[in-house]
Amino acid sequence: MFLKKLILEAIDFIRQIYLNRFIIWELTRREFRIKYISNLFGLSWAILEPLAMMLILWFIFTYVRTGTKMEVPFATFLITGIVAYDFFNKTLNAATRSLKSYGFLISKVNFRAAIIPLVKIASELLIHFIILAIVGLILIISQVPVTVYWLQVFYYLFSMVVLLIGVSWLTSSISLFFPDINYIITIVMRVLFFFTPIFWDPKGMPNEFLIYFRFNPLFYIVDGYRESLLYGVPFWIHHQNTLYFWIITVSLFILGVIVFKRLRPHFADAL
């Protein structure tokens, strides 16, 4: 009975997203315009900042770094991992603070506050598409072959967005009553940075330790980006890893729905 109620609540949230899709799009355009287009160099800096970091890493690890040979250039190995982590990190931080920044809408009785974190996610997603195009260009320059498996990035991106929706509903609703969660998220993301295969190759880790790292959902995403863009590995061969990821993601999604719905009546008071 309890499980059925949770599933029905999750379905209702998804239905509300569909019904409010035009509002989400308009708010996303507004968010994007205010954050980037309205500023002279806003959009340029949004692209130049990660681009500069990727180019520096590409130069250092292509022409400066020496060490063990890998299947692919270490610069491309690093860039394909860090682009996924960077999107998740920035988007989660923005979505966590979203309810505070849209407090003027939350006070409206008929407004669905659940769509506000989605607006932040959609806004960052537009930038991520541009960054992915730049990454693709860097890979081509680095003579990485373009394959049909590059399209798998959209599956992993979809998976990451579902994860972000659940987590951001959870963190954004809590942040109104417990602002310190923003600092906790910063610490957790710094820890996850080292527990995610960004600088290190999971192939070199013993299986008895690796299995614990795979409970980190970002492990699945980052490794998936890399396997799609560099190694041409089909996502459907990782049955166990996929199962781990979606169990964790669906659990966080349902938890986010529950917490958000329980705290929603108190949002106006907290603001």
Side-chain angles (χ1 to χ4, degrees):
M1 186 65 181
F2 180 69
L3 180 60
K4 182 180 179 180
K5 185 178 179 180
L6 295 183
I7 294 174
L8 289 175
E9 287 185 355
I11 292 174
D12 180 62
F13 260 57
I14 295 172
R15 186 176 67 87
Q16 290 299 327
I17 293 173
Y18 176 77
L19 293 175
N20 292 279
R21 61 192 183 280
F22 297 113
I23 297 177
I24 294 173
W25 171 244
E26 288 302 321
L27 287 175
T28 300
R29 288 179 56 190
R30 175 185 179 276
E31 173 78 18
F32 192 82
R33 186 168 57 251
I34 291 175
K35 189 174 182 180
Y36 299 116
I37 304 301
S38 61
N39 299 319
L40 184 60
F41 296 106
L43 182 59
S44 299
W45 285 119
I47 298 171
L48 288 174
E49 180 186 0
L51 175 61
M53 176 61 67
M54 286 188 290
L55 289 176
I56 291 170
L57 293 173
W58 175 73
F59 176 79
I60 291 176
F61 290 104
T62 300
Y63 298 104
V64 179
R65 181 182 183 270
T66 58
T68 306
K69 293 289 183 180
M70 301 181 67
E71 296 179 46
V72 295
F74 186 77
T76 59
F77 177 90
L78 182 59
I79 289 171
T80 50
I82 209 166
V83 67
Y85 171 87
D86 189 59
F87 169 68
F88 186 91
N89 184 34
K90 287 183 176 178
T91 305
L92 178 58
N93 278 283
T96 299
R97 296 175 171 85
S98 61
L99 295 182
K100 196 77 172 179
S101 59
Y102 278 88
F104 63 96
L105 288 177
I106 293 177
S107 59
K108 297 182 180 298
V109 177
N110 296 324
F111 184 77
R112 295 289 300 191
I115 71 175
I116 293 177
L118 306 186
V119 171
K120 293 289 185 178
I121 294 173
S123 177
E124 294 295 334
L125 191 59
L126 296 176
I127 293 296
H128 188 60
F129 283 131
I130 300 174
I131 300 301
L132 279 178
I134 295 171
V135 169
L137 182 60
I138 292 175
L139 295 182
I140 293 172
I141 294 173
S142 302
Q143 299 182 336
V144 175
V146 179
T147 70
V148 68
Y149 293 106
W150 281 30
L151 295 176
Q152 289 185 156
V153 166
F154 294 105
Y155 159 72
Y156 288 106
L157 180 57
F158 168 78
S159 304
M160 181 159 47
V161 168
V162 175
L163 176 63
L164 275 167
I165 291 173
V167 176
S168 64
W169 276 337
L170 177 66
T171 58
S172 62
S173 57
I174 293 176
S175 68
L176 289 180
F177 307 92
F178 184 61
D180 290 1
I181 195 173
N182 296 297
Y183 299 101
I184 294 173
I185 290 173
T186 300
I187 294 172
V188 169
M189 290 306 301
R190 285 177 182 172
V191 172
L192 286 181
F193 181 84
F194 295 100
F195 280 82
T196 303
I198 298 172
F199 283 90
W200 51 274
D201 191 343
K203 296 176 183 176
M205 178 173 288
N207 288 331
E208 57 267 26
F209 295 109
L210 192 60
I211 189 172
Y212 298 106
F213 283 80
R214 293 193 183 278
F215 284 101
N216 166 16
L218 280 182
F219 188 110
Y220 180 77
I221 299 296
V222 168
D223 207 36
Y225 264 57
R226 186 173 289 135
E227 289 192 336
S228 300
L229 296 172
L230 299 182
Y231 301 124
V233 178
F235 73 88
W236 55 83
I237 69 171
H238 299 302
H239 308 293
Q240 190 177 36
N241 299 341
T242 301
L243 182 62
Y244 287 160
F245 173 81
W246 282 108
I247 288 177
I248 294 170
T249 298
V250 171
S251 299
L252 288 172
F253 188 93
I254 293 174
L255 180 62
V257 169
I258 295 170
V259 173
F260 197 97
K261 189 171 183 179
R262 296 295 185 272
L263 295 179
R264 173 64 183 94
H266 309 288
F267 284 174
D269 297 332
L271 289 167

